[in-house]
Amino acid sequence: MSEMRRELEDSARKVFPDWQAAQDAKASWAQMAELGWFMAGVPEALGGLGLERRDLAVIFTEMGRARMPGPALAQFLALEALVQAPDFPGREDLMESAMAGEAITASLTIAGEDLTAVPDADTADRILVRSTDEVTLINLAGAKITPFPTWDGSRRLFTVAPAPDVPRIPLAAGSEAAALTERLDGLLCLGLAGDALGGADAVLAMAIEYLGTRRQFDRPLAMFQALKHRAADLKVALETATALYEASSEAAPLALGAMKAHCCEVYKQVAEEAVQFHGGIGLTVEYPVHLFLKRAFLNRALGGSAAFWNESAGDAVLELAAVE
Amino acid sequence: MSEMRRELEDSARKVFPDWQAAQDAKASWAQMAELGWFMAGVPEALGGLGLERRDLAVIFTEMGRARMPGPALAQFLALEALVQAPDFPGREDLMESAMAGEAITASLTIAGEDLTAVPDADTADRILVRSTDEVTLINLAGAKITPFPTWDGSRRLFTVAPAPDVPRIPLAAGSEAAALTERLDGLLCLGLAGDALGGADAVLAMAIEYLGTRRQFDRPLAMFQALKHRAADLKVALETATALYEASSEAAPLALGAMKAHCCEVYKQVAEEAVQFHGGIGLTVEYPVHLFLKRAFLNRALGGSAAFWNESAGDAVLELAAVE
Amino acid sequence: MTQEDDALRREIRDWIAREAPRDWRTASTHEAFVASQRSWFAKLVAAGYAVPHWPREWPGGGRSLAEQKIIYEELARADTPRLLLSFVSTYHAFATLAECASAQQRSHYLPRILEGETWCQGFSEPGAGSDLAAIRSRAERRGDVYVVSGQKVWSTMAQYADMCLLLVRTSADGPKQAGLTYLLMDMRLPGVSVRPIHQIQGDEEFAEIFLDEVEIPVAQRVGEEGAGWAVAQATLASERGLTLMELSYRMRGAMVRLSEAVHAAGRTCDAGVLRKLGALATRVDAVCALADRFLQKRMDEDERVGDASIVKLAYSRCLRAWTDLGVELADLAGQMHAPITFGDLNSGNWMADFMNSYAWTIAGGSDEVQRNIIAERMLGMPREPKNWITEAGQ
Amino acid sequence: MTQEDDALRREIRDWIAREAPRDWRTASTHEAFVASQRSWFAKLVAAGYAVPHWPREWPGGGRSLAEQKIIYEELARADTPRLLLSFVSTYHAFATLAECASAQQRSHYLPRILEGETWCQGFSEPGAGSDLAAIRSRAERRGDVYVVSGQKVWSTMAQYADMCLLLVRTSADGPKQAGLTYLLMDMRLPGVSVRPIHQIQGDEEFAEIFLDEVEIPVAQRVGEEGAGWAVAQATLASERGLTLMELSYRMRGAMVRLSEAVHAAGRTCDAGVLRKLGALATRVDAVCALADRFLQKRMDEDERVGDASIVKLAYSRCLRAWTDLGVELADLAGQMHAPITFGDLNSGNWMADFMNSYAWTIAGGSDEVQRNIIAERMLGMPREPKNWITEAGQ
């Protein structure tokens, strides 16, 4: 891991040492802004830190570990869209305020799905809307904003129907829009995958710690080989997915989507087992393990389903063989 | 279990106490005939024992346990076709000789697939050929018989192309053929499922016995909880499939197909783990565990694939909900 | 199936068609749910279907296991409300009273159960889940009373219970099991407090019971002091396999939920989805057949050690797979929070169903405990050593 | 990637294009396969690619791990023959000789390895698979020789080996590990006999070695008498992760086999099949990334205990899944027996591939042993007690 990435990780863990540290959405938003996260992916020429995608990948993992509330992932999408868009009057101001933490939201579904799963749409001023035809920033004044409450309570999601006649800032159109949209979907998948791996790592550690302290039949649960082997399998799945994640930050959108599907499946699998490892106590709201389970499921459903991405990936494999 | 079924099981285990007892195909064929198995499903009025399908189901399981060589399953199909067919000149003679053990072969694939996987086609006189249009007994004289050697060496399979102008005995045509063919496919699936469960039971017992005797790190492998839990899961899968099997002998062809897919998947899963439990020794031809693995895979591919049957079963479930 | 069986089936089917509530899924509060449970139980008592497993002298009692099976099959098939609130009363309390209690205790409590008095079970404790012998709640005899302090957990609907089947420790010496005593505790006694457990899917099906110097008359003891372990075995053995059969049938009946989910997702022509659906349906059929066979074995007195564990494990894993497929099919829409349907394990509110399924992989002997039982007592694999010398690393 | 790395990659790519055999899959007998292995090894020696991990004084030696990785990546990418026959010689024998042997032993044997002398490993025994300390083959010193009797098993290609790395017991007293001694045995000595193991897929990649009063000169001992355990550790630590990287890359390269299977089955429009294919392809990519990362950690001297076990387990399970999908896709056609392709784990002869995959879930520390290592040494879960008091029942 590079110096830069280790620094990002260290500073994140100092501010958000565990999932509890980030639960105040407003405070953690300010902390993220202070850590410079919203500047991270913006080129230095545009006033940002000019970090690469694999540096952002570290941030995404830390957000998952902290079970970060708020619309940060949407913010990264909006910033990326602004960075990629050709210059236009007011772009610099917009970018500056977004880097400082003024929220621009966006749907956490992939382009082509509904404008749903939009975090904090009720407090954001603008929303990034992307399709293969155009990418625009739309003012949310007068929009119809319907709550989309999920079992995961860490993200406040909404369904949005913008008002027809509000100001729109076009960022891309035509083939440029298609390319930008693909790029943004890829970033979304990278973000969700990182979130999944950070969360999985946190909840696996939580479960293993629990097994080490909880005793049954005069020994810690962690001494039972059947549980040890299942924990080991989860660790293998997690490490394997993490290696893929680290190697994929610059990958093509399709590969990022398939990678997201893989990582989110691992998160779900780890969280599902973590609840079982906790036994009855894991079924009570007093223990945090369920919070990760619910986020794991939500992550899996955001950014395109596994069915969609795996089918696309399978199509690509088919092309390896000459068609008769 | 009824008295009749227990008797069938007891007599089978006396003659074929384990898989080694049945390995001489010719001898075991004679023994099956002597046990009256080929008469079992034929009504008393036609000279048989008049047993029900759930009695036959016991025989199929014992065939799997003994890893029975030879074309017995094909013989049951041919006998069933003769029983169901309307009377015709020579039917009684045919049935009598078949009950006595004269082999009539048949493909172990479902109707609509190629006339492949035909056991002992090189020594049989006749072959049962079924389709939704007609069911016939065809003389194998002059047929093109190509070996279809499989990894499983317990069945000698062939691909058959009957000669165009040999004698054919029509057994059913039109809608009767369709019904008979469905019925025969169902019987085939029942036979393969029973074979799978008998084989799975035998190979699981073999693996558990091995774990009990083989020591590593100063204790028997059977004391390691991770292996115990995996063995328990296999036992649960096997018992569950067995309950379904016992309850399904009179089920509709579609249900029998789905049941076959389920049972064959369990056999494959048990055999796959049984090899792993045996460690290196399981990879040598000196230990019989691989023989069951190979038969498990072959059974799975005969009588229609899991993909086919599960898709059909899924279609049936879809009909539970009103279509919009 | 005999003619009598057939007649019983027709009789109960007709009765259900007339009497069963159809709106039980609409209860939006725990209180409304409990009220609907009470009224449904009263109806079943009146019709003679509430306690078919009780002796003949009770209304509707004296039914064979085969007849009980028919009743529960029909109740499941018609999607009537599950009997959650009265379960401990009619099974656990009944068996304890019938088999181990004094004549006086029996004649006092049994009629009240049919009148609607409900019981809870006070066995599990924090730190003593699957390991009952480790119970620590302490009862000290002072004259005519036991003074009990301690904590119980995972007690089903204890917040609505009138009475409690309480297992406590009267002696810390000797073998752990020999120090346990069994008491019948009135939940209204001073010192008893109950706190519902907030579950992750929004239910409060279980509660904790806190006992602070509760004075329980010695006359409320079942069996001798120190004989609690044996009495507890009678309590636990009271359910004879009907529940898992009933639940398996309900799961099969609810395959329509999955079918609806496929329609709703517009994936009726998706071969991959159809295959998963078909394979699962077959697995559910298999679990139903297994539960049937288990009951048949009990009727034939042919049960083997471990058979019950196999049924429980087969059901719990299948239920998980059932809910898992639902969550997957519902995709993002299935993530939207919706209030739960009390008492329904197969509601089609997929995330709630998924989380509910843990009740069956964890409670009543976790999957892990069942696997141990199957491996050791059925497959004959060696037990874990009970005492081991732990070494300080290598 | 540095410019030098790039240059090396181009250089070896060009060489492979000119020199690599393309017909290695056609070997139909073990002998033909062994002959092709020998000639391919000789070519690699001549070109300086055979022993990049040896010191600089050897032809082609002195390569960094990064450079070794490039060489193996390119060999895998171009689908050249795996180096099976010479593996023990160039890795295990080399490491043992280089790190523990006498100067005389070293100078005698190392050049011969490059000339094509092959070695096998005589560690495993029946009854001592993953538990080397349990070795029972007995060596008794008589004057200038050790007289050795016993049996070794799972020795890769021992039937073609000239020499053997032999671990034997010289003392039955004291701690088990302290009684082991390490010898270099000429396979042509009287009393040595070798029997190939017939594998279930038709290969004979391994052999048993029977030792009947074999007289091995004391000068052939490596290290002191009783120090065999430590020498064996050097032998086993010789491979630094390149093999799993190479095999992962080969598995990825062979995704085309699965693609062909889908085309052959006419299921290119089957959503369920495509999803399985896509999910597996991603998993294979992940395993490749994991193997890469592991090598990077070794280069950075950043390896944690357990990392190697994770790579092995991830690969072995993925290989099983890879072959499993192939068998499923090929359906009945895939059940037809076909002669195996020696040395190819991803041949598209699916049943053979499936059975071959056990070599990776069982050999070299089974999946179960790897899980123990990961749980105990990486996740910090308590070890199994080494001694337990077994009780007679409850």
Side-chain angles (χ1 to χ4, degrees):
Chain A
M1 194 184 258
S2 76
E3 195 58 29
M4 166 59 69
R5 294 204 290 292
R6 203 177 299 279
E7 258 174 44
L8 276 169
E9 189 180 290
D10 289 348
S11 60
R13 302 226 183 148
K14 211 167 285 167
V15 180
F16 306 114
D18 55 36
W19 71 276
Q20 281 149 312
Q23 293 317 291
D24 179 339
K26 208 172 154 186
S28 58
W29 185 264
Q31 285 165 311
M32 284 188 279
E34 202 169 311
L35 282 164
W37 284 6
F38 303 137
M39 305 167 68
V42 177
E44 291 181 53
L46 295 171
L49 301 178
L51 303 190
E52 299 172 53
R53 268 209 179 179
R54 57 185 184 159
D55 305 318
L56 291 187
V58 174
I59 294 177
F60 296 144
T61 306
E62 295 305 316
M63 280 167 47
R65 191 186 307 282
R67 200 175 151 273
M68 189 67 73
L73 188 47
Q75 189 82 347
F76 282 104
L77 296 180
L79 280 158
E80 175 78 357
L82 283 169
V83 166
Q84 298 295 328
D87 204 11
F88 59 85
R91 176 180 180 231
E92 234 167 88
D93 288 351
L94 263 175
M95 207 173 301
E96 200 168 310
S97 62
M99 283 194 285
E102 188 173 312
I104 303 174
T105 193
S107 170
L108 301 182
T109 61
I110 51 173
E113 300 188 6
D114 293 341
L115 208 58
T116 194
V118 180
D120 289 30
D122 58 341
T123 56
D125 290 332
R126 289 187 181 78
I127 182 170
L128 171 76
V129 178
R130 58 203 196 278
S131 75
T132 46
D133 296 328
E134 58 166 5
V135 179
T136 51
L137 280 182
I138 304 182
N139 200 304
L140 279 168
K144 188 168 167 236
I145 293 172
T146 320
F148 186 85
T150 55
W151 284 94
D152 170 61
S154 66
R155 296 194 180 100
R156 298 171 54 250
L157 300 183
F158 299 84
T159 300
V160 173
D165 48 2
V166 289
R168 293 161 183 249
I169 304 169
L171 299 183
S175 67
E176 277 170 16
L180 180 53
T181 290
E182 250 199 14
R183 188 179 171 87
L184 293 172
D185 281 352
L187 183 62
L188 170 63
C189 286
L190 185 71
L192 290 168
D195 196 279
L197 297 177
D201 195 45
V203 77
L204 181 59
M206 206 175 275
I208 287 168
E209 195 193 330
Y210 180 79
L211 291 178
T213 53
R214 166 80 169 159
R215 297 177 74 84
Q216 283 252 30
F217 304 105
D218 298 325
R219 68 205 70 160
L221 286 178
M223 200 180 269
F224 286 99
Q225 199 197 30
L227 299 180
K228 287 163 68 175
H229 278 204
R230 282 155 62 181
D233 280 338
L234 297 177
K235 179 69 175 171
V236 171
L238 180 54
E239 288 283 320
T240 310
T242 303
L244 179 66
Y245 177 70
E246 289 176 6
S248 302
S249 50
E250 304 290 342
L254 170 57
L256 286 170
M259 187 269 290
K260 194 248 14 160
H262 182 84
C263 294
C264 286
E265 201 56 44
V266 169
Y267 190 9
K268 182 255 180 185
Q269 186 189 337
V270 171
E272 182 180 346
E273 277 280 69
V275 173
Q276 182 74 17
F277 286 175
H278 274 76
I281 228 99
L283 305 181
T284 71
V285 295
E286 284 163 55
Y287 270 67
V289 57
H290 73 102
L291 300 174
F292 290 85
L293 179 76
K294 290 166 179 171
R295 182 134 160 166
F297 272 113
L298 180 61
N299 276 6
R300 192 173 69 154
L302 295 175
S305 68
F308 171 79
W309 286 118
N310 285 334
E311 198 175 326
S312 308
D315 256 329
V317 175
L318 272 195
E319 286 166 24
L320 292 177
V323 185
E324 292 136 80
Chain B
M1 195 182 253
S2 76
E3 195 56 28
M4 166 60 69
R5 295 205 289 290
R6 203 177 300 279
E7 258 174 45
L8 276 168
E9 189 180 290
D10 288 349
S11 60
R13 302 226 183 148
K14 210 167 286 168
V15 180
F16 305 114
D18 57 35
W19 71 274
Q20 281 149 311
Q23 293 318 293
D24 178 338
K26 206 170 157 191
S28 58
W29 186 263
Q31 284 165 310
M32 284 188 279
E34 203 168 312
L35 282 163
W37 284 5
F38 302 137
M39 306 166 69
V42 177
E44 291 180 53
L46 294 171
L49 300 178
L51 304 191
E52 299 172 53
R53 265 205 182 185
R54 55 184 184 161
D55 305 317
L56 290 188
V58 174
I59 294 177
F60 296 144
T61 307
E62 295 307 315
M63 280 167 47
R65 192 187 308 282
R67 200 174 152 272
M68 189 67 73
L73 189 47
Q75 188 84 349
F76 282 103
L77 296 180
L79 280 160
E80 174 79 357
L82 284 169
V83 166
Q84 298 296 329
D87 204 14
F88 59 84
R91 178 178 178 233
E92 235 167 272
D93 288 351
L94 262 176
M95 208 172 300
E96 202 170 310
S97 63
M99 285 193 285
E102 187 174 311
I104 303 175
T105 194
S107 170
L108 301 182
T109 61
I110 52 174
E113 300 188 6
D114 291 343
L115 209 59
T116 193
V118 180
D120 289 31
D122 59 339
T123 56
D125 289 332
R126 290 187 180 77
I127 182 169
L128 170 76
V129 178
R130 58 201 195 281
S131 75
T132 47
D133 297 329
E134 58 167 5
V135 179
T136 50
L137 281 182
I138 303 181
N139 200 302
L140 280 168
K144 188 170 170 231
I145 293 171
T146 322
F148 185 86
T150 55
W151 284 95
D152 169 62
S154 64
R155 295 194 181 99
R156 298 172 53 250
L157 300 183
F158 298 86
T159 300
V160 173
D165 47 3
V166 288
R168 291 161 186 249
I169 304 169
L171 299 184
S175 66
E176 277 171 14
L180 180 54
T181 289
E182 250 199 14
R183 188 179 170 89
L184 294 173
D185 280 352
L187 183 63
L188 169 63
C189 286
L190 186 72
L192 290 168
D195 196 278
L197 297 176
D201 195 46
V203 76
L204 181 59
M206 205 176 274
I208 287 169
E209 195 193 328
Y210 180 79
L211 291 178
T213 52
R214 166 80 169 162
R215 298 177 74 85
Q216 283 252 28
F217 303 107
D218 297 326
R219 67 203 72 158
L221 286 178
M223 201 180 269
F224 287 100
Q225 198 197 30
L227 299 179
K228 287 163 67 175
H229 279 204
R230 283 156 62 182
D233 280 339
L234 297 176
K235 179 69 175 170
V236 170
L238 179 55
E239 288 284 318
T240 310
T242 303
L244 180 67
Y245 177 71
E246 289 176 5
S248 302
S249 50
E250 304 290 341
L254 170 56
L256 286 170
M259 187 269 291
K260 194 253 3 167
H262 182 84
C263 295
C264 287
E265 200 56 45
V266 169
Y267 191 9
K268 181 255 183 185
Q269 186 188 338
V270 171
E272 181 180 346
E273 277 280 67
V275 172
Q276 182 74 16
F277 286 175
H278 275 76
I281 230 100
L283 305 181
T284 71
V285 295
E286 285 164 54
Y287 269 67
V289 58
H290 73 103
L291 300 174
F292 290 84
L293 179 76
K294 290 166 179 170
R295 181 131 161 167
F297 272 114
L298 180 60
N299 275 6
R300 193 172 70 154
L302 295 174
S305 68
F308 171 77
W309 286 117
N310 285 334
E311 196 174 328
S312 308
D315 255 329
V317 176
L318 270 196
E319 287 168 23
L320 293 177
V323 184
E324 293 134 84
Chain C
M1 184 170 290
T2 69
Q3 277 195 321
E4 293 78 37
D5 286 352
D6 230 20
L8 173 63
R9 199 180 286 281
R10 270 198 306 275
E11 174 201 306
I12 184 160
R13 225 175 253 194
D14 291 346
W15 180 82
I16 287 172
R18 286 195 315 274
E19 300 288 342
R22 295 175 202 292
D23 56 351
W24 62 278
R25 282 203 175 72
T26 59
S28 60
T29 64
H30 292 99
E31 287 64 33
F33 175 65
V34 167
S36 83
Q37 284 274 303
R38 289 193 200 278
S39 83
W40 175 231
F41 180 68
K43 274 190 180 180
L44 286 162
V45 171
Y49 297 133
V51 287
H53 57 298
W54 288 24
R56 190 168 296 281
E57 67 253 35
W58 299 97
R63 298 283 198 187
S64 69
L65 190 53
E67 291 171 321
Q68 295 169 42
K69 180 168 187 280
I70 289 170
I71 294 174
Y72 280 99
E73 270 177 26
E74 292 302 320
L75 290 171
R77 208 185 301 268
D79 193 29
T80 63
R82 281 170 64 206
L83 284 167
L84 286 171
L85 183 65
S86 56
F87 191 81
V88 172
S89 321
T90 57
Y91 282 91
H92 296 111
F94 165 74
T96 311
L97 291 163
E99 292 175 34
C100 308
S102 68
Q104 203 225 325
Q105 288 168 332
R106 220 175 355 252
S107 63
H108 180 80
Y109 286 115
L110 287 184
R112 285 175 171 76
I113 288 176
L114 294 187
E115 289 161 16
E117 204 169 81
T118 61
W119 289 64
C120 66
Q121 187 178 304
F123 285 16
S124 289
E125 295 188 359
S130 301
D131 185 10
L132 275 191
I135 277 177
R136 287 181 306 174
S137 285
R138 194 79 176 88
E140 206 178 300
R141 180 152 179 181
R142 293 191 202 145
D144 281 350
V145 298
Y146 286 104
V147 182
V148 182
S149 292
Q151 185 185 344
K152 295 291 176 179
V153 75
W154 301 118
S155 184
T156 304
M157 297 204 162
Q159 63 270 52
Y160 305 107
D162 304 297
M163 294 292 300
C164 176
L165 302 166
L166 190 68
L167 199 57
V168 293
R169 179 161 302 286
T170 39
S171 164
D173 305 330
K176 277 181 177 178
Q177 300 171 0
L180 299 177
T181 296
Y182 201 108
L183 302 172
L184 309 176
M185 179 179 75
D186 190 320
M187 293 292 283
R188 283 150 301 201
L189 284 176
V192 178
S193 54
V194 179
R195 191 176 69 179
I197 294 172
H198 302 293
Q199 288 171 257
I200 60 177
Q201 83 280 34
D203 205 346
E204 292 176 3
E205 194 183 338
F206 307 100
E208 290 177 289
I209 306 173
F210 298 91
L211 305 168
D212 180 18
E213 303 259 315
V214 183
E215 297 188 4
I216 304 174
V218 171
Q220 293 293 86
R221 194 182 67 209
V222 181
E224 296 305 305
E225 186 172 304
W229 178 263
V231 181
Q233 298 312 308
T235 307
L236 294 172
S238 62
E239 210 283 319
R240 309 251 291 145
L242 289 164
T243 302
L244 285 171
M245 182 216 66
E246 183 202 335
L247 291 177
S248 303
Y249 276 56
R250 287 180 188 272
M251 178 162 59
R252 178 159 62 188
M255 282 304 298
V256 67
R257 299 280 98 76
L258 283 171
S259 176
E260 287 163 356
V262 176
H263 283 286
R267 290 165 72 180
T268 53
C269 295
D270 184 318
V273 166
L274 291 182
R275 267 172 227 144
K276 285 187 182 184
L277 192 64
L280 183 68
T282 307
R283 184 169 167 191
V284 171
D285 284 343
V287 171
C288 289
L290 182 73
D292 276 346
R293 190 171 70 148
F294 177 62
L295 274 175
Q296 190 60 50
K297 280 187 179 180
R298 287 212 148 165
M299 293 177 211
D300 300 345
E301 299 187 355
D302 199 20
E303 185 185 351
R304 297 163 299 175
V305 178
D307 275 336
S309 293
I310 286 184
V311 182
K312 171 135 191 304
L313 197 49
Y315 173 74
S316 74
R317 300 317 310 176
C318 186
L319 178 65
R320 175 66 52 76
W322 193 94
T323 63
D324 202 31
L325 182 56
V327 174
E328 185 192 329
L329 288 172
D331 205 10
L332 186 55
Q335 292 303 307
M336 190 185 251
H337 182 274
I340 63 165
T341 306
F342 298 103
D344 191 354
L345 289 163
N346 309 99
S347 68
N349 181 354
W350 300 108
M351 281 294 289
D353 289 349
F354 184 92
M355 289 186 270
N356 244 330
S357 72
Y358 280 104
W360 287 93
T361 60
I362 290 175
S366 69
D367 285 355
E368 289 75 22
V369 169
Q370 308 299 348
R371 289 190 188 104
N372 278 342
I373 293 172
I374 295 164
E376 291 168 7
R377 304 186 62 185
M378 190 161 223
L379 302 178
M381 301 173 86
R383 298 187 177 217
E384 300 284 306
K386 288 175 75 182
N387 304 303
W388 29 23
I389 302 169
T390 44
E391 292 174 307
Q394 191 173 357
Chain D
M1 183 173 290
T2 67
Q3 278 196 320
E4 293 78 36
D5 286 351
D6 231 19
L8 172 62
R9 199 179 287 280
R10 271 198 306 274
E11 170 201 309
I12 183 161
R13 224 176 253 193
D14 290 347
W15 180 81
I16 287 172
R18 286 195 314 274
E19 299 288 342
R22 296 176 200 292
D23 57 350
W24 62 278
R25 282 200 174 71
T26 59
S28 60
T29 63
H30 291 98
E31 287 63 32
F33 175 66
V34 166
S36 82
Q37 284 274 306
R38 289 194 200 280
S39 83
W40 174 230
F41 180 70
K43 274 190 179 181
L44 285 163
V45 171
Y49 297 132
V51 289
H53 57 297
W54 287 22
R56 190 167 297 278
E57 67 252 36
W58 299 96
R63 297 284 197 185
S64 69
L65 190 53
E67 291 171 321
Q68 294 170 43
K69 180 167 186 284
I70 290 170
I71 293 172
Y72 280 99
E73 269 176 27
E74 293 304 320
L75 290 171
R77 209 186 300 267
D79 193 30
T80 63
R82 282 170 63 208
L83 283 167
L84 286 171
L85 183 66
S86 55
F87 191 81
V88 172
S89 320
T90 56
Y91 282 90
H92 297 112
F94 165 74
T96 311
L97 291 163
E99 292 173 36
C100 308
S102 68
Q104 201 224 325
Q105 289 168 332
R106 224 179 349 256
S107 62
H108 180 79
Y109 286 116
L110 288 183
R112 285 175 170 75
I113 288 176
L114 293 186
E115 288 161 16
E117 203 168 81
T118 61
W119 289 65
C120 65
Q121 187 179 304
F123 286 14
S124 289
E125 294 189 358
S130 301
D131 183 10
L132 275 191
I135 277 176
R136 288 181 305 175
S137 285
R138 195 79 178 83
E140 208 178 299
R141 179 149 181 182
R142 293 191 203 147
D144 279 351
V145 298
Y146 285 104
V147 182
V148 182
S149 293
Q151 185 184 345
K152 295 291 177 180
V153 75
W154 301 117
S155 184
T156 305
M157 297 200 164
Q159 63 269 52
Y160 305 107
D162 303 298
M163 293 292 301
C164 177
L165 304 166
L166 189 68
L167 197 56
V168 292
R169 180 161 299 287
T170 38
S171 163
D173 305 329
K176 279 179 176 180
Q177 301 171 0
L180 300 177
T181 296
Y182 202 111
L183 302 171
L184 308 177
M185 177 178 77
D186 191 319
M187 293 292 282
R188 285 150 298 203
L189 284 177
V192 178
S193 56
V194 179
R195 190 176 70 178
I197 294 173
H198 301 293
Q199 287 170 260
I200 61 178
Q201 84 282 33
D203 205 348
E204 292 175 2
E205 195 183 339
F206 308 99
E208 291 176 290
I209 306 173
F210 299 90
L211 305 168
D212 179 19
E213 303 258 316
V214 182
E215 297 189 4
I216 304 175
V218 171
Q220 292 294 84
R221 194 182 67 210
V222 180
E224 295 306 306
E225 185 172 307
W229 180 261
V231 180
Q233 299 312 309
T235 308
L236 293 172
S238 61
E239 208 283 316
R240 309 250 294 141
L242 288 164
T243 302
L244 283 172
M245 182 217 65
E246 181 201 336
L247 290 177
S248 303
Y249 276 54
R250 286 180 187 272
M251 177 161 60
R252 180 159 63 188
M255 281 306 296
V256 66
R257 297 281 98 73
L258 282 171
S259 177
E260 286 162 355
V262 176
H263 283 287
R267 290 165 72 181
T268 53
C269 295
D270 184 317
V273 166
L274 290 182
R275 269 173 225 143
K276 285 187 183 187
L277 192 64
L280 183 69
T282 307
R283 184 170 167 189
V284 170
D285 284 343
V287 171
C288 289
L290 182 73
D292 276 347
R293 191 172 70 148
F294 177 63
L295 273 176
Q296 190 59 51
K297 279 186 178 182
R298 287 212 149 164
M299 291 175 209
D300 300 345
E301 298 185 359
D302 197 20
E303 184 184 351
R304 296 163 302 174
V305 177
D307 275 336
S309 293
I310 286 184
V311 183
K312 169 131 191 306
L313 197 48
Y315 173 74
S316 75
R317 300 318 309 179
C318 187
L319 178 64
R320 175 65 53 77
W322 192 94
T323 63
D324 202 30
L325 182 56
V327 174
E328 186 192 329
L329 288 172
D331 204 11
L332 186 55
Q335 292 304 308
M336 190 185 250
H337 182 274
I340 63 166
T341 307
F342 298 103
D344 190 353
L345 289 163
N346 310 98
S347 68
N349 180 355
W350 300 109
M351 281 294 289
D353 289 349
F354 184 93
M355 289 186 270
N356 244 331
S357 72
Y358 280 102
W360 287 93
T361 61
I362 290 174
S366 69
D367 285 355
E368 290 74 23
V369 168
Q370 308 298 346
R371 289 190 187 104
N372 278 341
I373 294 172
I374 294 164
E376 292 168 6
R377 304 185 64 186
M378 189 162 227
L379 302 178
M381 300 174 87
R383 297 187 176 217
E384 301 283 308
K386 288 175 75 181
N387 303 305
W388 31 23
I389 303 168
T390 43
E391 292 173 309
Q394 192 173 359

